[in-house]
Amino acid sequence: MTTRPSDAGPYGSWGSPPEAYGLPGEDELASLAASCFPEFGRRWDAPLDAAYRPTVAPADGNLPAGSPARAVDHGLLSLPRVGSVPLEKIRSDFPILSERVNGHELVWLDNAATTQRPRQVIERLTYYYEHENSNVHRGAHTLAARATDAYEDARARVSDFIWAGSADSIVFVRGTTEGLNLVANAYVKPILSPGDEIIITYLEHHANIVPWQLVAEETGAVLRAAPVDDSGQIILSDYARLFNRNTRFVSMTHVSNAIGTVAPVQEMTTIARGYGVRTCVDGAQSVSHMPVDVSSIGADFFVFSGHKIFGPNGIGVTYGRGDALEAARPWQGGGNMISDVTFERTLYQRAPKNSRPAPAA
């Protein structure tokens, strides 16, 4: 059973031991240290650093001159590795990495923009088009049932992945940008009046700025931004001072796409909740790098894109708390978001099905 990221334990906010994330465990680290450096022969009992990240160990030939590891044949440094997994095994999962660019093997470092797709994702998409292709929730035949089952299974898996608590809190969208526009137009815009205020931060990607500018222009609301210090950290005291009786909503990034700042989103949502203000977190850059527990974060909405976590293009997720989703108005009409339509009136599906005109697949 997966350990919840927010559970207390010896590994802090990471919850699970390093092995659960493909990283070397404490025993493996102690063995490696002892084999390279005799002074580490006794067990190392210092606590693990909760901020530990995987590192690639170079092959012996690339070690600095004089390194004790050059003379040690212990197997662990015979091949480059990420945690306990050989780097070549990871590369073999990504067909595009066999491409040669300008005569060199492709090295992809632009993951903040988009990730490459592993073979498993490519093959699953192919299987869908070869065996399941049909409209979701729109037919009674065999292929429609297969497609609908796969679609709803994906919704449940996403819910488990971010600890949402219920698949009904997951809305599939085309990506983070559409998710933010959905929140802005379906939930926030209907509650705004002239003079009301929306808070964002100086760390935002423009996808978390422009939707709020548009709804502010249409409603007469005011957009305010929380400042950062010289190191790029949000100044929580200044953020807290932005709240007043006109504050209606806060949207914040989890991790900055430009400078990598990890925002204190749990503290920020707690402050907002103290003023009765709902929040949205842009998780486009965080969900691929750290465990995400939306219940612990405390946001009313959380959005991210599939293509930044090795998934297909054109798919993303908007998580919404049950009461927040129920309060949102339909934004785009037609398709599967309706329950019944006549010329006199339309009845809508309950959330999350009323949030999109048709399933994004």
Side-chain angles (χ1 to χ4, degrees):
M1 184 173 182
T2 305
T3 303
R4 191 185 189 97
S6 57
D7 286 347
Y11 304 101
S13 63
W14 287 84
S16 299
E19 294 92 331
Y21 303 101
L23 309 181
E26 187 175 359
D27 291 338
E28 186 179 349
L29 286 172
S31 174
L32 176 59
S35 65
C36 293
F37 308 102
E39 61 269 30
F40 286 101
R42 62 180 179 82
R43 181 176 175 83
W44 179 52
D45 293 320
L48 289 176
D49 181 357
Y52 179 76
R53 298 291 188 272
T55 57
V56 177
D60 285 348
N62 295 326
L63 290 169
S67 169
R70 281 182 175 273
V72 179
D73 183 16
H74 48 69
L76 284 175
L77 293 182
S78 59
L79 289 172
R81 292 172 177 264
V82 176
S84 61
V85 183
L87 184 60
E88 282 308 310
K89 184 177 186 304
I90 297 173
R91 287 184 62 90
S92 68
D93 280 339
F94 293 83
I96 199 170
L97 294 184
S98 64
E99 281 290 304
R100 300 190 70 83
V101 178
N102 298 324
H104 299 282
E105 199 172 51
L106 176 64
V107 176
W108 183 260
L109 300 177
D110 202 16
N111 292 306
T114 195
T115 54
Q116 298 299 339
R117 311 311 187 258
R119 188 181 313 277
Q120 295 86 339
V121 171
I122 297 170
E123 290 176 351
R124 184 61 182 89
L125 288 172
T126 300
Y127 182 89
Y128 169 81
Y129 286 113
E130 291 180 345
H131 301 283
E132 300 169 339
N133 185 36
S134 179
N135 285 11
V136 172
H137 293 303
R138 304 294 291 279
H141 51 79
T142 299
L143 293 187
R146 290 179 185 176
T148 298
D149 287 347
Y151 183 83
E152 291 302 333
D153 180 64
R155 194 196 303 274
R157 287 171 181 262
V158 169
S159 174
D160 291 343
F161 179 58
I162 61 173
W163 293 92
S166 170
D168 288 340
S169 64
I170 303 301
V171 178
F172 286 128
V173 289
R174 287 175 290 186
T176 302
T177 299
E178 184 178 54
L180 291 167
N181 277 275
L182 172 65
V183 174
N185 286 277
Y187 178 77
V188 181
K189 183 179 174 181
I191 67 172
L192 293 177
S193 299
D196 287 343
E197 297 181 359
I198 305 163
I199 297 174
I200 56 174
T201 79
Y202 278 26
L203 297 176
E204 306 310 322
H205 185 282
H206 66 265
N208 202 23
I209 299 174
V210 178
W212 307 112
Q213 289 177 332
L214 290 173
V215 298
E217 290 173 0
E218 294 176 28
T219 62
V222 178
L223 190 61
R224 308 187 73 185
V228 299
D229 61 22
D230 290 342
S231 65
Q233 303 297 318
I234 294 172
I235 306 171
L236 277 178
S237 57
D238 288 352
Y239 164 76
R241 279 194 285 269
L242 291 176
F243 286 85
N244 58 60
R245 63 183 182 181
N246 295 322
T247 306
R248 294 291 177 267
F249 199 78
V250 180
S251 192
M252 67 198 81
T253 188
H254 197 174
V255 174
S256 166
N257 70 298
I259 59 177
T261 298
V262 181
V265 291
Q266 192 166 6
E267 291 88 341
M268 295 173 73
T269 60
T270 299
I271 291 170
R273 198 158 50 247
Y275 287 89
V277 174
R278 291 196 189 273
T279 54
C280 177
V281 172
D282 172 359
Q285 298 294 338
S286 65
V287 73
S288 60
H289 293 289
M290 61 182 67
V292 168
D293 180 343
V294 292
S295 298
S296 177
I297 288 172
D300 297 282
F301 300 95
F302 187 96
V303 298
F304 62 95
S305 297
H307 75 97
K308 293 183 187 290
I309 52 170
F310 311 105
N313 284 324
I315 191 71
V317 170
T318 297
Y319 155 82
R321 287 183 184 273
D323 58 341
L325 280 184
E326 290 292 344
R329 293 179 56 186
W331 175 37
Q332 295 176 325
N336 197 52
M337 52 84 69
I338 58 93
S339 174
D340 186 65
V341 176
T342 69
F343 288 112
E344 289 73 34
R345 56 95 182 99
T346 296
L347 300 178
Y348 303 110
Q349 299 265 26
R350 291 179 58 85
K353 295 181 179 179
N354 66 353
S355 297
R356 284 195 55 83

